[in-house]
Amino acid sequence: MIWVWIALAPILGGLVYGGERVLRARMQRRLGPPFLQPFYDMFKLLDKRTLIVHAPHALLAVAHFFALWFSVAAIFLGWNLLYIVFLHLIAQMLLILAGYSVRSAYSHLGANRELLMLVAYEPILILVAVGLYLVSGSFEITGMIQKGNYLAQLPLLFAALLMIVPIKVKKSPFDVGEAHQEIVGGVEIEYSGVFYEFLYMSRFLEYLFIYSFVFIFGGESVWLGAVLVAGVFLLVNLVDNATARVRTPQMIKIIYMAAMPLAVLNLVWILL
Amino acid sequence: MLLTLILLPIATAFLILYSSTRIQYLLSAAVLGVGSFLSVSLFMSTERVSFHLPFLLNAMIIAADLVLLIYFLVQGKKFNSPKVIVLAAAQLLLYIYAEYAAPSGRSAEIVVDELSRFMFLIINIVGGIIVLYSVRYMEDESVEPYKKRHFIAAMLLFLSVMNAIVCANSLLLFFFLFEMTTLASYQLIAFRNDEISRANALRALWMNQIGGVVILAGTLVAALVLDTVMLDTLLQHSGGMLLFSVALLSMAALVKGASIPFDGWLLGAMVAPTPVSAMLHSATMVKIAPYLILKLAPVLGTTLLGGVLSITGALVFVAAAYLALSRSIFKEILGYSTVALLGLMMALAAIGTKESMMLSMVLMLFHALSKALLFLAAGVLEKQYHLKSIEEMSALVHRAPKTVGFIVLGFVSLTLPPFGLFMGKLFAITSVASLLRERPLLLIVLVSMIIGSTLLVLLYFKVSSALLSNPSDTVRTEKERIPQGFSIPLVLLSLLILFAAVGFIVIQHDVLLALFTLPLLFVFALPSMIRSMEHYDRTAIYHCGEKESFDAALVYYEPSVRIKGMIYWGFGILFVAVAFVGVLS
């Protein structure tokens, strides 16, 4: 059964993404695209003539997609959370190397931003893993979701996680990775056709990846986890509609000055 | 076998002085082969070897030590450096007093234990490869032929000094060899003999002499209060002034490891020829720092001193990684990242649990391999393309795909799975996290480790961003040829990195970890996959209507003068605090 879910992960993510676009549109009193728009996009992209810049560049996008899929699969299978964070790191580095591997200013700018985003959220993800480990006594997700009550013990850590969710799903105020007014397509700019589709689907997987972290905070209660995910999903989109984009250095500063102390403070609190 | 390890490089050094280039290649390859074989077979055996030095040899060492210190004094006078003079004079006085106060040895001066055998592996294999490389490197250096031969001979002599220092049990012998490495540093940094080299060499000299002074002070405390100058007997003592003596010795480690505020000497050392940077200033000599802390770790354990040392190391890891972000000279970036990783190794060693000490050793090995590879590749860039700053390296992959390949492999092996250094950091996070409940102070180490690793990822991939950036396939690429004298050491190191990484994962017996090796498959399958992509049409790059030519933008972070001052003062205070904590506990 679990393998079926893993196989369907990109589609599942696509549904989340489509749903989010509708939700955001409704918040802005627009009608928005159809719910299945991501899949219509897919058919359109597959139909296009594919142009590539050079082969390694195109292949890195495919590798990025599969590495990301792999880390989402590892979450579904309930493996070691720390390993999962680093599997995700591999996936991100493949994307960043892809961005750097072409001689395009926008691609470089986009990859620079992806790298800086990584610098912002990576420590928090690891601290979340460590915090969950300290409470549950296990780095395995299967072990973590057998205990409950993370929210009571790790509220500040959860707040820190909340602050990095917008970075991962590229939502305001931390949507520097997607600022098309500044960097056009960013890392994605030199892709087209089927290879762009891989990058597009990677975005769906990112949703599953980061919201899984939120879900784990629900602990043994699946319902609490689901409520948390739904609540965070709403909140992130609300904030996205209500705030303006900050600059990249500001983003890093905010994460290091606010989210990091929160996370560390929480760890100090449960250790003492 | 041990004697061969020490004597063989010395003998070869003398032979090299009178041989042609071809013979030099043969001799250095022979040293590499024999040294690697001996160190591997020594590593396999488990017995603890220890022996006394004959009286005559001891007397010779004392004489040599006095000559060495007087030489430093003369150099200080010659180049008019008051710091060198004062420190050399202080060492001379302390040394004479320490020899006078030292109780006659009851235990052996030379002890080969597990740690020494491990260090032999690093020193002889990585060091041997670097010597082989330096033969080719010297061919392109514009100095007189006899100086080239002297250079290679000096590298070989240095190998035997390193082999000796890791099995020295007598603190006075250790001091002598420590000063010998300082001498090697001083001489080799000044090799090019211009104004900057001279100034940097003098700075390296006086900073390292501080290390010498604290070793002598530690030895004196040990000799006067605890009545021994042998490391193994010293570490069996407890209470009293033991921790003070240990604190002084570990301060020497901080100096040798170029921890902030002593990072200046290592950065300055980067003006030396690249094999020197590879051998002394990243792969072997600076490893004395974590080595010394590992030696002392059994008594550090849960003491406050151990805590302060591990926190200092961990903070150095973050601070040095941060400071490296403002640099643009390739070798300086490598130098700062060496300072950072040495800090991490010292932090793990000072935690003092069995696991963390093992991880510190793992980091040492993999760091030596990766950094040697990076420095040797930097040497190729310098000799073949005359490049030093990363600003000039834009789109280098187009001109030098192989060299860039080695550099990116080096970066990846320092930061990403499945390579050993990453694995070491991963296990270190798990290991420190499991200790947090008993020792909450280690939270500082954990957080620094996490932030520092991320900063290093930023640093290395920022540099790769300049190197990569290939034009579209519509532009023709030319082939690159690396001379064999350069490519053989580079390939050897790359293979070692790969095999050691896979081996390290295999011995963990963890199926999940083995999955981390999957990206390697991707890399190996890349050529055939690239061939299968031929039917896709190629396009030029989209410039959004702009006409300007492309210029890769590099990210720099320069701390303001005030913050930089605060960092240096903070670490200076921590350095002194180590001694205070030693006295108090």
Side-chain angles (χ1 to χ4, degrees):
Chain A
M1 186 58 197
I2 196 73
W3 292 101
V4 177
W5 284 115
I6 291 174
L8 292 179
I11 298 180
L12 206 64
L15 294 176
V16 177
Y17 182 64
E20 188 196 56
R21 286 179 74 175
V22 176
L23 177 76
R24 252 160 34 109
R26 296 295 147 83
M27 282 178 174
Q28 297 164 357
R29 298 199 181 163
R30 286 191 287 121
L31 196 58
F35 179 54
L36 292 179
Q37 186 61 41
F39 303 98
Y40 302 147
D41 288 344
M42 181 176 83
F43 290 120
K44 188 176 166 191
L45 282 171
L46 291 181
D47 203 34
K48 290 226 168 197
R49 175 182 170 209
T50 302
L51 289 168
I52 64 174
V53 175
H54 55 72
H57 177 242
L59 284 171
L60 280 168
V62 182
H64 164 67
F65 170 73
F66 281 107
L68 206 54
W69 198 352
F70 194 84
S71 55
V72 170
I75 293 180
F76 283 11
L77 291 169
W79 288 352
N80 188 318
L81 192 57
L82 206 53
Y83 293 2
I84 290 167
V85 173
F86 289 118
L87 277 172
H88 179 259
L89 172 70
I90 301 186
Q92 273 332 90
M93 289 326 297
L94 288 169
L95 179 68
I96 289 165
L97 284 177
Y100 284 145
S101 75
V102 286
R103 226 169 139 60
S104 149
Y106 300 110
S107 183
H108 266 254
L109 278 176
N112 276 347
R113 289 192 175 194
E114 288 285 342
L115 191 55
L116 290 170
M117 282 154 64
L118 185 96
V119 171
Y121 65 72
E122 185 79 4
I124 305 287
L125 283 184
I126 301 175
L127 284 176
V128 166
V130 171
L132 290 170
Y133 161 77
L134 284 176
V135 174
S136 71
S138 156
F139 268 117
E140 315 276 320
I141 296 180
T142 35
M144 285 175 182
I145 53 174
Q146 274 157 20
K147 300 245 170 67
N149 221 2
Y150 291 113
L151 272 188
Q153 290 202 51
L154 301 169
L156 300 178
L157 198 61
F158 186 70
L161 178 66
L162 263 184
M163 291 178 74
I164 62 160
V165 173
I167 306 182
K168 255 331 352 193
V169 296
K170 297 185 177 163
K171 290 276 172 283
S172 279
F174 300 139
D175 57 346
V176 291
E178 207 190 35
H180 62 91
Q181 301 91 333
E182 298 161 20
I183 57 169
V184 196
V187 187
E188 301 168 352
I189 191 167
E190 300 301 337
Y191 288 98
S192 62
V194 57
F195 294 106
Y196 181 67
E197 172 59 25
F198 277 111
L199 278 189
Y200 196 43
M201 287 194 296
S202 312
R203 166 179 299 202
F204 309 160
L205 291 175
E206 292 279 14
Y207 277 78
L208 295 188
F209 175 81
I210 194 68
Y211 281 111
S212 304
F213 277 79
V214 178
F215 181 80
I216 295 170
F217 271 86
E220 53 190 344
S221 152
V222 180
W223 288 110
L224 180 58
V227 168
L228 279 180
V229 170
V232 172
F233 189 73
L234 269 175
L235 182 68
V236 165
N237 282 300
L238 203 64
V239 173
D240 177 50
N241 275 329
T243 52
R245 179 186 312 135
V246 298
R247 288 187 294 117
T248 321
Q250 287 171 336
M251 175 184 82
I252 293 185
K253 213 169 193 173
I254 293 171
I255 297 294
Y256 275 68
M257 295 289 167
M260 190 83 77
L262 282 179
V264 173
L265 205 67
N266 204 156
L267 293 188
V268 172
W269 169 34
I270 55 171
L271 284 176
L272 296 179
Chain B
M1 283 208 278
L2 176 64
L3 277 181
T4 330
L5 276 185
I6 297 178
L7 294 180
L8 176 76
I10 300 183
T12 327
F14 281 109
L15 282 177
I16 287 238
L17 285 181
Y18 302 102
S19 53
S20 66
T21 316
R22 174 169 286 178
I23 310 278
Q24 288 173 10
Y25 278 118
L26 283 178
L27 283 174
S28 50
V31 170
L32 169 62
V34 177
S36 322
F37 174 74
L38 285 180
S39 53
V40 171
S41 50
L42 259 177
F43 188 67
M44 296 297 174
S45 71
T46 48
E47 52 175 339
R48 180 187 155 98
V49 187
S50 60
F51 52 85
H52 288 270
L53 292 180
F55 176 75
L56 191 64
L57 193 59
N58 263 330
M60 274 164 66
I61 288 175
I62 294 174
D65 213 347
L66 290 174
V67 171
L68 184 64
L69 289 173
I70 291 169
Y71 173 76
F72 284 159
L73 208 59
V74 173
Q75 289 289 310
K77 185 123 181 66
K78 188 171 163 196
F79 295 106
N80 199 12
S81 164
K83 283 176 194 148
V84 173
I85 298 177
V86 170
L87 286 164
Q91 281 183 99
L92 206 53
L93 293 178
L94 281 170
Y95 180 67
I96 294 170
Y97 186 39
E99 276 294 347
Y100 170 75
S104 56
R106 274 179 295 272
S107 81
E109 282 101 340
I110 300 280
V111 172
V112 180
D113 57 6
E114 217 173 306
L115 183 59
S116 324
R117 275 195 286 265
F118 181 76
M119 294 302 287
F120 286 150
L121 276 186
I122 299 182
I123 295 164
N124 292 295
I125 297 179
V126 183
I129 292 177
I130 297 171
V131 172
L132 182 61
Y133 173 93
S134 60
V135 178
R136 177 70 185 79
Y137 186 90
M138 272 298 127
E139 272 184 41
D140 296 343
E141 188 79 20
S142 53
V143 288
E144 299 88 4
Y146 82 91
K147 258 195 119 176
K148 296 181 185 179
R149 290 198 291 268
H150 274 264
F151 179 83
I152 300 163
M155 299 284 276
L156 280 165
L157 282 180
F158 173 75
L159 266 193
S160 72
V161 170
M162 277 306 295
N163 276 329
I165 200 171
V166 293
C167 50
N169 187 37
S170 155
L171 281 174
L172 287 164
L173 180 61
F174 182 82
F175 168 73
F176 168 63
L177 295 164
F178 188 91
E179 289 297 292
M180 283 296 281
T181 61
T182 304
L183 172 73
S185 235
Y186 172 67
Q187 286 284 348
L188 291 171
I189 296 171
F191 179 75
R192 284 181 176 146
N193 213 3
D194 46 28
E195 213 166 294
I196 306 174
S197 313
R198 195 44 79 179
N200 288 350
L202 283 172
R203 181 163 51 179
L205 182 58
W206 73 258
M207 283 195 177
N208 275 302
Q209 280 181 319
I210 297 178
V213 171
V214 285
I215 290 185
L216 283 176
T219 314
L220 264 179
V221 173
L224 294 177
V225 185
L226 303 163
D227 194 36
T228 178
V229 288
M230 299 298 165
L231 258 176
D232 54 354
T233 7
L234 175 68
L235 296 181
Q236 277 156 16
H237 279 275
S238 62
M241 296 298 269
L242 168 71
L243 279 180
F244 183 44
S245 169
V246 168
L248 287 169
L249 290 175
S250 39
M251 282 161 80
L254 288 174
V255 174
K256 204 61 168 178
S259 295
I260 305 171
F262 300 102
D263 56 333
W265 80 260
L266 194 83
L267 267 284
M270 294 301 152
V271 298
T274 308
V276 179
S277 315
M279 176 94 101
L280 274 73
H281 304 126
S282 79
T284 59
M285 184 182 80
V286 288
K287 296 286 190 299
I288 294 175
Y291 162 79
L292 191 53
I293 304 274
L294 277 171
K295 270 271 177 199
L296 304 172
V299 291
L300 291 176
T302 50
T303 58
L304 184 61
L305 178 61
V308 171
L309 275 174
S310 53
I311 288 171
T312 311
L315 291 178
V316 165
F317 181 49
V318 180
Y322 177 59
L323 289 177
L325 289 173
S326 65
R327 297 289 165 149
S328 64
I329 306 290
F330 188 56
K331 276 171 79 183
E332 289 188 354
I333 291 174
L334 295 183
Y336 257 129
S337 81
T338 303
V339 174
L341 285 163
L342 286 171
L344 179 63
M345 290 171 215
M346 285 193 268
L348 285 175
I351 290 174
T353 61
K354 215 168 170 200
E355 197 182 14
S356 70
M357 283 164 70
M358 196 274 286
L359 287 173
S360 171
M361 285 158 74
V362 167
L363 287 185
M364 241 198 272
L365 173 68
F366 285 104
H367 176 256
L369 288 171
S370 300
K371 270 293 159 56
L373 176 71
L374 281 170
F375 269 112
L376 298 193
V380 176
L381 289 185
E382 191 187 317
K383 285 286 168 202
Q384 303 287 104
Y385 301 95
H386 310 285
L387 293 174
K388 281 187 175 161
S389 158
I390 53 172
E391 289 289 337
E392 307 157 351
M393 293 184 186
S394 177
L396 193 64
V397 70
H398 192 51
R399 283 187 287 159
K402 287 181 195 160
T403 317
V404 169
F406 284 121
I407 293 176
V408 174
L409 172 68
F411 286 156
V412 168
S413 71
L414 282 168
T415 43
L416 291 186
F419 293 98
L421 215 84
F422 167 82
M423 287 297 163
K425 282 186 222 159
L426 170 65
F427 294 141
I429 291 175
T430 335
S431 162
V432 174
S434 68
L435 289 172
L436 277 183
R437 288 261 177 222
E438 300 130 53
R439 293 152 75 176
L441 258 187
L442 288 183
L443 187 63
I444 303 178
V445 177
L446 183 79
V447 175
S448 317
M449 210 150 63
I450 294 170
I451 298 178
S453 315
T454 323
L455 286 180
L456 281 185
V457 171
L458 173 62
L459 173 70
Y460 294 135
F461 287 92
K462 168 194 126 174
V463 177
S464 353
S465 87
L467 302 174
L468 298 172
S469 72
N470 208 12
S472 153
D473 273 354
T474 48
V475 186
R476 269 190 63 79
T477 321
E478 56 235 83
K479 281 238 165 67
E480 183 202 11
R481 282 188 54 82
I482 306 179
Q484 271 195 344
F486 287 146
S487 65
I488 290 173
L490 286 170
V491 170
L492 275 179
L493 280 171
S494 311
L495 289 178
L496 276 175
I497 289 174
L498 275 180
F499 284 117
V502 174
F504 185 59
I505 287 183
V506 170
I507 58 169
Q508 303 300 324
H509 299 294
D510 187 338
V511 186
L512 292 187
L513 274 186
L515 290 173
F516 275 130
T517 53
L518 285 179
L520 285 183
L521 289 182
F522 172 70
V523 174
F524 286 124
L526 204 57
S528 66
M529 285 199 285
I530 288 176
R531 249 171 279 131
S532 71
M533 303 271 293
E534 257 154 27
H535 63 275
Y536 288 111
D537 297 320
R538 299 302 202 261
T539 174
I541 277 152
Y542 174 65
H543 286 299
C544 208
E546 306 268 351
K547 271 189 177 166
E548 282 111 76
S549 62
F550 165 80
D551 194 12
L554 285 175
V555 191
Y556 288 97
Y557 283 93
E558 175 99 51
S560 66
V561 179
R562 213 179 103 241
I563 292 181
K564 217 169 170 179
M566 270 160 57
I567 291 176
Y568 277 85
W569 274 104
F571 280 105
I573 291 167
L574 266 178
F575 181 71
V576 179
V578 170
F580 270 109
V581 171
V583 177
L584 294 178
S585 49

